[in-house]
Amino acid sequence: MKLNDKVAIVTGGNTGIGKAVVLALAGQGASVVIDYVCNPEATDELERQVAALGEKSAGVEADVSKVADLQRLVDTAAQTFGRLDVMVNNAGVETRTSVLDTTEDQYAKVLDINLKSAFFGTQLAAKQMIGQGGGGRIINMSSVHEDWPMPGNTAYCLSKGGMRMLTRTAGVELAPHGITVVGVGPGAVDTPINASTVADPAKLKTLDAAIPIGRLAEPDEIAGVVAFLASDDASYLTATTIFVDGGIMQSSPGL
Ligand code: NAI
Ligand code: BGC
């Protein structure tokens, strides 16, 4: 398996894309620290699924908007599994509010959970990787909206735009240490973040029609790309984003 003896952290790891990433990494032989903020029962169940794959995991309740909690995730990887090879900064939230109606609290929440967490997650993971030696992988779960406006979700777009430059700049800075930094930019994925769209037949029809492949992605279709990026097969990829969007960013009505 391609990730034998590797140790990973996945933030926001007990739902949606994060959960699929945990299973994809464990499916390739990695031990995984699963970060979560709510629903410990879901984490317990996921740990059982990882064990059924013959791999190890450790659930840790940690709020990624707090640097001390991020350090606790890194320390758990080092103390429980001996090292850290792959950091997946996946946790994220959105408010679906525009530039005119976003409050200061909403702005701070989105930027802290999505961007501050990825910045310090990258910093703390890189320090651990440099200290232990041997390089590492940092994978930032961005979005098509790092580059493509989503009117009515402005703070979210800002946070993902920041992640885009974090990936590029940290990728350049950390390359001499053998650490690669890659962004993953999903389009629309069938997870809790899109529950209100999926539950509304008219909105779902409009969204499906905007996607050349004609449907939302399943979380596994994003997680498989993350597992590839974590493996030696992706050794020459850094400081860039891989979009996994069913073609949505290139979609055109053909006028
Ligand atoms: P989700 O809502 O299932 O996952 C978000 C996760 O982040 C949840 O597990 C949540 O508990 C966790 N989280 C929220 N605040 C946190 C905090 N303070 N500390 C730690 N964890 C926290 O939705 P999904 O879709 O799986 O989202 C995962 C990532 O994928 C997010 O960064 C999102 O922006 C990104 N993404 C999702 C897309 C989609 O269409 N579903 C498309 C593009 C990007
Ligand atoms: C957003 C979703 C949206 C998708 C495609 C994601 O980053 O979180 O709300 O459906 O992009 O636009």
Side-chain angles (χ1 to χ4, degrees):
M1 289 191 290
K2 296 198 167 178
L3 300 175
N4 270 342
D5 302 324
K6 301 284 187 197
V7 178
I9 294 172
V10 181
T11 68
N14 73 355
T15 59
I17 295 172
K19 177 181 175 183
V21 169
V22 168
L23 291 171
L25 298 180
Q28 288 298 323
S31 302
V32 189
V33 175
I34 305 167
D35 158 64
Y36 68 98
V37 274
C38 53
N39 202 352
E41 301 77 22
T43 311
D44 292 345
E45 170 56 23
L46 185 55
E47 286 189 65
R48 283 192 285 275
Q49 288 180 260
V50 171
L53 292 169
E55 303 305 332
K56 299 189 186 95
S57 63
V60 179
E61 187 177 349
D63 176 348
V64 295
S65 67
K66 296 181 178 149
V67 176
D69 282 25
L70 287 165
Q71 184 65 61
R72 205 149 45 74
L73 292 172
V74 173
D75 291 346
T76 301
Q79 286 159 14
T80 309
F81 301 121
R83 55 187 293 109
L84 174 63
D85 302 287
V86 181
M87 178 74 181
V88 185
N89 291 310
N90 167 76
V93 292
E94 62 185 16
T95 51
R96 300 260 174 127
T97 53
S98 75
V99 71
L100 292 178
D101 58 24
T102 299
T103 65
E104 186 176 0
D105 283 350
Q106 286 173 322
Y107 178 92
K109 182 179 178 190
V110 171
L111 271 291
D112 283 357
I113 294 176
N114 297 8
L115 183 57
K116 178 185 170 192
S117 72
F119 183 90
F120 287 102
T122 298
Q123 180 189 82
L124 298 178
K127 285 184 175 175
Q128 170 65 31
M129 290 165 182
I130 292 166
Q132 73 196 15
R137 295 285 152 86
I138 296 169
I139 299 167
N140 291 323
M141 192 58 65
S142 179
S143 167
V144 288
H145 300 301
E146 72 167 41
D147 207 28
W148 188 48
M150 183 173 181
N153 210 6
T154 319
Y156 180 79
C157 292
L158 246 76
S159 73
K160 298 300 184 180
M163 252 184 163
R164 173 186 172 86
M165 282 312 292
L166 168 66
T167 296
R168 280 151 183 73
T169 312
V172 172
E173 290 178 348
L174 298 174
H177 300 284
I179 299 169
T180 62
V181 187
V182 183
V184 174
V189 189
D190 190 0
T191 71
I193 221 172
N194 276 318
S196 62
T197 306
V198 172
D200 180 329
K203 279 190 188 163
L204 181 59
K205 197 173 167 197
T206 306
L207 179 57
D208 283 347
I211 305 169
I213 283 185
R215 61 172 176 82
L216 279 77
E218 293 302 323
D220 287 351
E221 294 177 285
I222 311 302
V225 175
V226 175
F228 158 72
L229 292 173
S231 77
D232 288 344
D233 290 342
S235 54
Y236 204 64
L237 262 166
T238 198
T240 191
T241 305
I242 306 298
F243 291 105
V244 193
D245 71 344
I248 194 171
M249 286 175 88
Q250 316 304 326
S251 187
S252 162
L255 296 175

